[in-house]
Amino acid sequence: MSMVFATGKYLKITHRSSIVAQFELKPPPYPLVALEPHLSRQTLEHHWGKHQKGYVENLNQQILGTELDGMGLEDIILASYNKGDPLPAFNNAAQIWNHEFFWESMKPGGGGKPSGDLLHLIERDFGSFKDFLREFVDTASAHCGSGWVWITYKANKLNVDNAVNPRPSENDYKIVVARTPNAVNPLVWDYSPLLTIDVWEHAYYLDYENRRAKYVSTIMEKLVAWDVVSSRLEVAKSRAAERAREEEERKRREEEFESEEEIDESEMFLNSDPEESEAE
Ligand SMILES: [Fe+2]
């Protein structure tokens, strides 16, 4: 017996009448047949219905009764990444987040070209949309083994203290193509993910065998939900602007505090008795 209770979680009432919060297997936002002929129903049935289901079941077992139990998925990812020395729950938590994000990055009849600010930033940061596409597909092809390829918005003006920033010389407030091994998610670098494609073999082998570049370029041309990616960019920019405001406010308070301390010190000096000082 169970009931939905919050984003990604539901309450499960066990046979012993104890109640635990558990993550649920969230379905893609379209039927499993909807991405054909580019991604087959069989691929989605295996990928979502078996692989993703396994990550959900494993995570629910792993966090039961631990300090991670009760946390949201992103908080579990950040906590279990453990500054680059991941705890056992990290892979399952990040794989759930990555897969949900992947399904929502696509839609039937998608692909083509983005528009608006997203297109403007891509052209600014990559030269042209064509050059961007080439870098994205090349990055996916160059990745050795299992992992993910991402479009992210990098706005981390603040220090990244959760992990080593892989591109510390990159300018901030720009679009970055990144690839990550296994389950790693750019959230741990404080980047804002905008789109991802799963490049584990289980994602494409049934439909494309070993032709990973063909699989990735087909998704980019036929399936990407650019409207969703644009919405994510708006959220990422708002978040970055909010954090920049908070940082400015923090600096302003620090400066105020320092100038108050200087005033206090000069008042102490003015109020001190020079004769007493000389007598000492
Ligand atoms: Fe996958």
Side-chain angles (χ1 to χ4, degrees):
M1 182 175 160
S2 63
M3 63 182 177
V4 173
F5 129 82
T7 50
K9 282 193 163 185
Y10 63 93
L11 287 180
K12 183 178 182 184
I13 301 171
T14 69
H15 64 283
R16 277 176 280 181
S17 297
S18 56
I19 299 175
V20 291
Q22 295 203 306
F23 288 99
E24 62 177 341
L25 176 63
K26 186 178 178 185
Y30 36 74
L32 300 186
V33 72
L35 303 184
E36 287 191 339
H38 312 299
L39 288 179
S40 68
R41 175 183 180 154
Q42 193 187 13
T43 285
L44 265 74
E45 282 174 351
H46 276 82
H47 196 175
W48 172 75
K50 293 189 177 170
H51 289 277
Q52 190 173 334
K53 183 169 182 251
Y55 300 131
V56 172
E57 290 172 350
N58 290 340
L59 182 67
N60 284 331
Q61 287 297 318
Q62 281 175 317
I63 63 174
L64 203 60
T66 73
E67 60 184 12
L68 301 173
D69 203 348
M71 283 186 177
L73 196 54
E74 286 192 13
D75 288 337
I76 291 178
I77 290 169
L78 294 175
S80 63
Y81 189 63
N82 196 29
K83 301 186 179 184
D85 185 15
L87 306 176
F90 176 77
N91 283 341
N92 288 306
Q95 284 295 74
I96 296 169
W97 195 103
N98 296 351
H99 281 89
E100 289 180 359
F101 198 75
F102 173 51
W103 303 128
E104 290 163 7
S105 297
M106 298 184 285
K107 66 177 183 182
K113 204 171 172 179
S115 59
D117 200 32
L118 177 60
L119 180 60
H120 166 72
L121 289 185
I122 285 174
E123 289 176 342
R124 185 197 69 181
D125 297 335
F126 294 86
S128 69
F129 182 65
K130 196 175 162 189
D131 288 337
F132 155 79
L133 271 184
R134 188 180 304 118
E135 179 166 335
F136 189 87
V137 175
D138 287 351
T139 301
S141 302
H143 184 74
C144 182
S146 299
W148 298 81
V149 59
W150 306 81
I151 304 174
T152 65
Y153 184 64
K154 180 180 182 292
N156 45 323
K157 290 296 274 187
L158 305 179
N159 290 332
V160 178
D161 61 4
N162 192 42
V164 175
N165 185 332
R167 293 183 177 180
S169 61
E170 290 271 9
N171 292 326
D172 292 316
Y173 303 115
K174 67 181 293 185
I175 304 281
V176 174
V177 168
R179 59 191 164 105
T180 58
N182 304 317
V184 175
N185 179 308
L187 287 171
V188 302
W189 307 328
D190 202 27
Y191 287 21
S192 297
L194 303 180
L195 171 143
T196 194
I197 294 183
D198 189 338
V199 293
W200 286 58
E201 276 192 353
H202 67 223
Y204 60 89
Y205 210 83
L206 283 175
D207 295 328
Y208 295 86
E209 297 182 337
N210 61 343
R211 292 171 294 139
R212 183 192 282 176
K214 176 67 178 165
Y215 153 74
V216 172
S217 56
T218 300
I219 289 180
M220 297 305 278
E221 288 165 19
K222 307 288 186 187
L223 295 176
V224 168
W226 286 116
D227 55 333
V228 172
V229 181
S230 283
S231 302
R232 291 167 175 167
L233 174 63
E234 290 311 307
V235 172
K237 283 165 56 189
S238 300
R239 175 174 172 261
E242 178 62 27
R243 291 178 64 175
R245 275 195 295 275
E246 286 173 2
E247 179 64 4
E248 274 181 25
E249 180 64 13
R250 189 188 63 76
K251 280 184 187 163
R252 191 185 63 75
R253 282 187 190 153
E254 256 181 26
E255 284 167 9
E256 262 181 22
F257 181 71
E258 281 168 12
S259 61
E260 278 170 13
E261 274 197 327
E262 281 170 15
I263 291 168
D264 287 348
E265 279 173 15
S266 60
E267 280 176 352
M268 278 175 66
F269 179 75
L270 287 171
N271 292 336
S272 63
D273 185 340
E275 285 185 9
E276 259 182 36
S277 301
E278 278 171 21
E280 286 171 8

